[in-house]
Amino acid sequence: MHLIGEWKEQQFDYRDSGTGPIILLIHGTQSDYREIYHVEKLIQAGYRVIVPSRPGYGKTPLRLAESPVELATFYKGWMQARGFTRYTIYGISAGGPTAIALASQNDAACSLVLACAMSHQISLPYQNVLIQPLLQRPLHFIQWVLWTYVKDKLKKFPEEASVRMVEMTSLLQRSDIRSLLTHEDERLLYAVGLQNGPGRGVLFDITQQLERQTLETVSCPVLIVHSQADRAVPFEHARYTQRLIPHAQFIESKSPGHLIWIGPSARRDERMIERFITLNHL
């Protein structure tokens, strides 16, 4: 269910679906409350999944928060105000730093799942140029053009467009990616491609930083799932998190790229995540 929330005189949108133990899912770049990855299966498994649109995505203004710690503080207060005293935090991709900050020194956090998640700032070519205020409107337009192109190709050539989508965030060759994708993967990528789109939140994503101490003070159970073929969020992010949170469990995904929900180990990875969440909700 799509809802509009208000907390601390700030409005934002979110999805709240399912019944049972609560999972607060922090989505990645160019997504919003409509996040597709794993959500429906978690609901079917008996969980209540809450997905707020992060700053600059959906109807959530970019000004909602300026850093992962500030956004985590906002979510923590909002969840507490709703009377939620126990919940799992599930961070995806660029939602990772906020998920980590929310789990740090938070008695309400049952566990933390980090799926292909950032743990520190990503270094991009021309990053200092990309974050300039005057360039944000042109960059948003470029995002819109690219996503319009992707959606058009997905409708006309869904199989090949799916391979190209994975290739953009993969270290593998195109032929290897093609051999690893199933029809179910292609259907998922088709849905993602039609749902995702441009957002001003990219500015939040590429500038977010997280202090080492924030990771070191995460005491709840942690599960990291990451693929070595990930180009978008390099595998080193998973290793960095594991070094600073030594009690974290780690699963190496066999995904052909950034997205752990596709590829030969996708359902295994999802089941391991579900099992981890269930064990730590007891």
Side-chain angles (χ1 to χ4, degrees), residues 108-162:
C110 300
S111 62
L112 169 65
V113 175
L114 295 170
C116 53
M118 289 173 57
S119 57
H120 53 280
Q121 188 173 21
I122 285 182
S123 178
L124 296 174
Y126 311 109
Q127 186 159 326
N128 290 335
V129 176
L130 293 174
I131 63 176
Q132 296 302 314
L134 288 176
L135 288 180
Q136 296 316 300
R137 186 165 292 180
L139 288 173
H140 185 77
F141 176 73
I142 292 171
Q143 286 184 63
W144 179 82
V145 171
L146 287 173
W147 274 108
T148 300
Y149 175 81
V150 168
K151 292 175 194 294
D152 179 65
K153 294 303 178 186
L154 274 169
K155 292 174 182 177
K156 294 178 179 176
F157 313 103
E159 292 184 13
E160 187 60 26
S162 295

Side-chain angles (χ1 to χ4, degrees), residues 4-43:
I4 301 296
E6 185 169 346
W7 171 248
K8 296 291 185 181
E9 299 180 350
Q10 296 272 23
Q11 284 195 339
F12 56 98
D13 62 344
Y14 66 100
R15 175 183 179 179
D16 190 338
S17 302
T19 58
I22 295 168
I23 297 173
L24 180 62
L25 190 143
I26 314 297
H27 69 77
T29 296
Q30 296 183 326
S31 185
D32 54 28
Y33 72 92
R34 297 170 296 171
E35 180 62 72
I36 289 175
Y37 300 123
H38 206 174
V39 172
E40 294 303 327
K41 288 176 182 174
L42 289 168
I43 293 169

